[in-house]
């Protein structure tokens, strides 16, 4: 009976001190992934920007399709969504 009454309380991890932009980006993406708040892929990103659901867009500089970059940057400019260029989409 005692086991049924116990409630697990999630332990909050202490936040790391962020000293640079890439550290902050990693922290935001990590927390967003935990709550299913990250949209990936050109089609899904474009839909969310146009619907004014996007709060910020991280665009990898390693993207080799210039038209994709122009599309995302143009949509973000039109909807006043900040774009943060990150050096690599894998790190």
């Amino acid at each position: 009976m005692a086991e049924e009454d116990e409630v697990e309380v999630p332990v909050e991890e202490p936040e790391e001190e962020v000293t640079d932009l890439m550290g902050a980006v990693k922290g935001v993406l990590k927390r967003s992934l935990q709550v299913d708040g990250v949209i990936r892929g050109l089609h899904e990103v474009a839909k969310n920007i146009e619907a004014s659901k996007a709060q910020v867009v991280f665009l990898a500089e390693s993207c080799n399709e210039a038209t994709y970059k122009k599309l995302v940057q143009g949509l973000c400019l039109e909807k006043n969504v900040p774009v943060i260029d990150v050096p690599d989409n894998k790190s």
Side-chain angles (χ1 to χ4, degrees):
M1 276 290 221
E3 291 179 12
E4 295 174 8
D5 295 335
E6 292 181 18
V7 178
E8 287 189 34
V9 178
V11 178
E12 290 188 27
E13 297 178 18
E15 292 193 23
E16 299 174 13
E17 175 126 3
V18 178
T19 57
D20 62 339
L21 178 62
M22 289 312 299
V25 168
K26 286 181 182 182
V28 167
L29 287 175
K30 182 179 178 181
R31 286 188 295 276
S32 295
L33 281 169
Q34 291 173 348
V35 296
D36 200 26
V38 176
I39 304 297
R40 293 180 259 186
L42 180 65
H43 182 69
E44 290 296 317
V45 169
K47 280 190 343 187
N48 279 278
I49 295 171
E50 285 185 340
S52 299
K53 293 180 181 178
Q55 295 178 348
V56 66
V57 172
F58 297 105
L59 184 60
E61 293 174 353
S62 62
C63 176
N64 54 6
E65 282 292 329
T67 54
Y68 290 176
K69 282 184 161 183
K70 286 183 183 180
L71 173 67
V72 171
Q73 290 170 339
L75 287 172
C76 288
L77 185 62
E78 181 180 304
K79 296 291 184 171
N80 295 323
V81 177
V83 177
I84 298 177
D85 291 320
V86 293
D88 186 22
N89 60 348
K90 301 295 181 195
S91 59

